[in-house]
Amino acid sequence: MGDRFDHNGLEILTDEECWLLLGAHHIGRLAVVVGNEPEIFPVNYIVLDGDDGPSVLFRSSEGTKLAGAVLGGSVAFEIDAADPLLHTGWSVVVRGRAVEIERLDELLDVEALPLRPWGPGEHRRYVRIVPEAVTGRRIVHRPIDN
Amino acid sequence: MGDRFDHNGLEILTDEECWLLLGAHHIGRLAVVVGNEPEIFPVNYIVLDGDDGPSVLFRSSEGTKLAGAVLGGSVAFEIDAADPLLHTGWSVVVRGRAVEIERLDELLDVEALPLRPWGPGEHRRYVRIVPEAVTGRRIVHRPIDN
């Protein structure tokens, strides 16, 4: 296997493939560190194309654990899809920093986007993940021996 | 709304409902802390019913970041399902400690289980999440104003 596969035999997706997959889906999971323990939340998201490249945008409630945990800190955001019967699937992870959108012009821009929060309740804060790295893996064959 | 709903209007699932959902699915995401940063991995898993209650079992490769990160540490494991069009969905999170199964009798027991790793490659280690808490939320209605 060449450079396109990692040491586990998974196909390594290019950044472009990762962003195409991110753009085609709308529910992911955000992992953050709270008091040195991992937390994980489902979020609805969209990909925001900006002058500085694509980023991931989602909404958050005021005063929640999520809001407190993510802002300014490192986050890992994951999407995946799988076919358990065929044992195929892929996963994309975006690592970066979460920043709140506070500038009025930016808020007006994102308010116009078709972005719903994952659950009900008030989700007034817009959080953007500024990506530092995006990685993706795809299962391309059925393993024989395990 | 009564005790069955949290402050965001999400229905709180009982432990029993959470384990039923966990038992009915086989792909989840594991969040761990590596060097104070969150990492997230898709894993195939099964629920193991033991004398001390149910736990989550998955396989891991030798020497990977995953293997190094999870053992002994706090982990958060999440499954979810969603219908984006209807804006319904649910999410279950298991928090606990990850321990490797090393006793020969236990290994022989789990080797007999229908547990496949998420990707190809050798996944010789069996990791069990000993749950400290399980929480679940379900979206039960369509939000009107956000």
Side-chain angles (χ1 to χ4, degrees):
Chain A
M1 289 189 279
D3 292 329
R4 283 185 52 221
F5 295 87
D6 71 8
H7 65 283
N8 277 320
L10 293 166
E11 183 186 359
I12 299 169
L13 304 181
T14 65
D15 283 12
E16 188 181 6
E17 287 173 308
C18 290
W19 284 110
L20 279 173
L21 288 166
L22 285 160
H25 293 78
H26 297 289
I27 296 177
R29 297 97 200 164
L30 188 75
V32 297
V33 179
V34 182
N36 209 35
E37 305 228 328
E39 292 277 354
I40 186 166
F41 307 88
V43 292
N44 278 13
Y45 75 97
I46 59 171
V47 170
L48 198 62
D49 282 307
D51 295 338
D52 50 352
S55 57
V56 169
L57 182 75
F58 63 93
R59 288 167 68 172
S60 165
S61 301
E62 295 279 347
T64 59
K65 189 187 280 183
L66 171 57
V70 301
L71 295 177
S74 290
V75 301
F77 175 81
E78 193 257 10
I79 64 168
D80 60 57
D83 184 331
L85 284 180
L86 297 177
H87 197 67
T88 60
W90 55 263
S91 170
V92 171
V93 176
V94 178
R95 290 178 186 78
R97 300 259 155 197
V99 295
E100 187 167 6
I101 295 184
E102 293 177 300
R103 271 179 42 201
L104 185 61
D105 57 336
E106 286 187 306
L107 276 175
L108 292 173
D109 283 347
V110 298
E111 279 281 3
L113 295 170
L115 176 62
R116 285 185 164 278
W118 182 78
E122 294 194 81
H123 291 73
R124 294 189 175 165
R125 301 170 83 160
Y126 286 84
V127 179
R128 191 163 76 95
I129 302 174
V130 182
E132 287 162 6
V134 57
T135 52
R137 295 290 185 274
R138 185 186 287 134
I139 302 168
V140 285
H141 64 276
R142 189 187 177 88
I144 294 162
D145 63 348
N146 63 355
Chain B
M1 287 188 279
D3 292 330
R4 283 185 51 221
F5 295 87
D6 70 9
H7 65 283
N8 278 320
L10 293 166
E11 184 187 359
I12 300 170
L13 303 181
T14 64
D15 283 13
E16 188 181 6
E17 288 174 307
C18 290
W19 284 109
L20 278 173
L21 288 166
L22 285 160
H25 293 77
H26 297 289
I27 296 177
R29 298 95 200 165
L30 188 76
V32 296
V33 179
V34 183
N36 209 35
E37 306 227 329
E39 293 276 354
I40 186 168
F41 307 87
V43 292
N44 278 13
Y45 75 97
I46 58 171
V47 170
L48 199 62
D49 282 308
D51 295 338
D52 51 351
S55 57
V56 170
L57 182 76
F58 63 93
R59 288 166 68 171
S60 165
S61 302
E62 295 279 347
T64 59
K65 189 188 280 184
L66 171 56
V70 301
L71 295 177
S74 289
V75 301
F77 175 80
E78 192 256 11
I79 64 168
D80 60 55
D83 184 330
L85 284 181
L86 297 177
H87 196 67
T88 60
W90 55 262
S91 170
V92 171
V93 175
V94 178
R95 291 179 186 78
R97 300 261 155 194
V99 295
E100 186 167 8
I101 293 184
E102 293 176 300
R103 270 179 43 201
L104 185 61
D105 57 336
E106 287 187 306
L107 276 175
L108 292 173
D109 283 346
V110 297
E111 280 280 4
L113 295 169
L115 176 62
R116 286 186 163 278
W118 183 78
E122 294 194 80
H123 292 73
R124 293 191 176 166
R125 301 169 83 160
Y126 286 85
V127 179
R128 192 162 77 94
I129 302 174
V130 181
E132 288 163 5
V134 57
T135 52
R137 295 291 184 273
R138 184 186 287 134
I139 302 168
V140 284
H141 64 274
R142 189 187 178 89
I144 294 162
D145 62 348
N146 62 356

